[in-house]
């Protein structure tokens, strides 16, 4: 299973809006397997297709300690969200090294399809609820740093661009050898 390249903020492709999945075929299963390998390798607890430049409504999550309980959500919809909110320190594979508090509904009910196209419902709280909402934002083209103040966001953007330049420099050095 090849590892996929995860887009890094502020790559504008992270702001594309994902389209619903229509075909529940072999291609979809391979994409899910490749995304899972990529997420576990990173390592992370969630990955949206948007982050690997596939703009379809697909996300995967594994919040288990053993990282052996993959959950796949296709065309997910939040059908209910609690009034109660939770402040959680979030991070994102597209914004490596950055963690900050985001407030969201503490509990959600989600309707989605599995990889076979079968509908299911999940009622989530805690980390799973946060993760589902964070990944669903990606499908809408939204990265969690957009919840932070413009000042913080600009600092993060500059830091990411600086790291990107440094990485490019390192790569060209390796290439020159
Ligand atoms: Ni993310």
């Amino acid at each position: 299973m090849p590892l996929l390249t995860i887009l890094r903020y502020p790559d504008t492709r992270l702001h594309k809006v994902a389209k619903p999945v229509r075909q529940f075929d072999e291609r979809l299963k391979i994409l899910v397997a490749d995304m899972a390998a990529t997420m576990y390798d990173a390592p992370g607890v969630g990955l949206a297709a948007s982050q690997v430049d596939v703009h379809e409504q697909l996300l995967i999550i594994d919040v288990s300690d053993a990282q052996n309980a993959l959950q796949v959500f296709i065309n997910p919809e939040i059908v209910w969200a609690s009034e109660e909110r939770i402040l959680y320190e979030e991070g994102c594979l597209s914004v490596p090294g950055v963690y900050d508090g985001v407030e969201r509904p503490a509990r959600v009910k989600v309707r989605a399809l599995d990889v076979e196209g079968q509908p299911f419902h999940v009622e989530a709280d805690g980390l799973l609820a946060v993760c589902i909402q964070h990944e669903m934002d990606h499908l809408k083209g939204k990265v969690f740093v957009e919840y932070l103040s413009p000042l913080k966001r600009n600092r993060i953007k500059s830091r990411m661009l600086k790291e990107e330049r440094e990485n490019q420099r390192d790569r060209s050095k390796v290439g020159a050898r």
Side-chain angles (χ1 to χ4, degrees):
M1 278 169 282
L3 296 181
L4 307 170
T5 302
I6 299 175
L7 299 178
R8 287 170 61 111
Y9 185 79
D11 193 308
T12 53
R13 290 171 290 179
L14 286 167
H15 303 305
K16 286 192 188 177
V17 177
K19 295 200 168 70
V21 171
R22 298 280 177 227
Q23 302 267 345
F24 294 83
D25 53 9
E26 197 54 31
R27 185 201 72 100
L28 185 66
K29 291 191 178 114
I30 292 168
L31 175 59
V32 167
D34 290 347
M35 281 176 59
T38 304
M39 179 183 77
Y40 290 128
D41 178 73
V45 294
L47 187 66
S50 315
Q51 291 177 274
V52 293
D53 204 20
V54 175
H55 302 282
E56 297 173 35
Q57 293 175 16
L58 158 65
L59 61 92
I60 60 170
I61 290 177
D62 189 343
V63 293
S64 69
D65 288 334
Q67 293 268 275
N68 61 358
L70 187 72
Q71 291 181 277
V72 180
F73 296 81
I74 297 169
N75 302 346
E77 284 172 78
I78 291 179
V79 293
W80 175 84
S82 65
E83 296 275 323
E84 185 199 344
R85 293 170 77 83
I86 183 174
L87 179 67
Y88 210 95
E89 191 87 351
E90 296 190 19
C92 179
L93 293 177
S94 293
V95 200
V98 173
Y99 299 88
D100 214 323
V102 176
E103 200 186 289
R104 301 180 185 273
R107 283 171 292 130
V108 288
K109 286 183 189 166
V110 181
R111 180 170 61 203
L113 303 176
D114 68 16
V115 77
E116 307 289 345
Q118 296 303 311
F120 67 94
H121 286 81
V122 168
E123 190 166 348
D125 62 8
L127 177 58
L128 181 59
V130 169
C131 213
I132 290 172
Q133 294 175 79
H134 174 117
E135 302 308 333
M136 282 185 68
D137 276 348
H138 277 301
L139 302 181
K140 294 172 203 140
K142 187 165 184 175
V143 180
F144 87 100
V145 298
E146 289 168 63
Y147 289 102
L148 308 177
S149 69
L151 179 68
K152 274 189 181 175
R153 194 162 58 242
N154 283 331
R155 265 190 211 143
I156 292 166
K157 206 176 272 184
S158 311
R159 179 173 153 192
M160 290 295 131
L161 291 170
K162 182 166 171 272
E163 281 179 16
E164 189 63 40
R165 281 195 300 275
E166 284 166 2
N167 289 342
Q168 263 161 15
R169 219 170 16 241
D170 292 346
R171 271 199 294 275
S172 61
K173 266 189 222 151
V174 171
R177 258 178 223 147

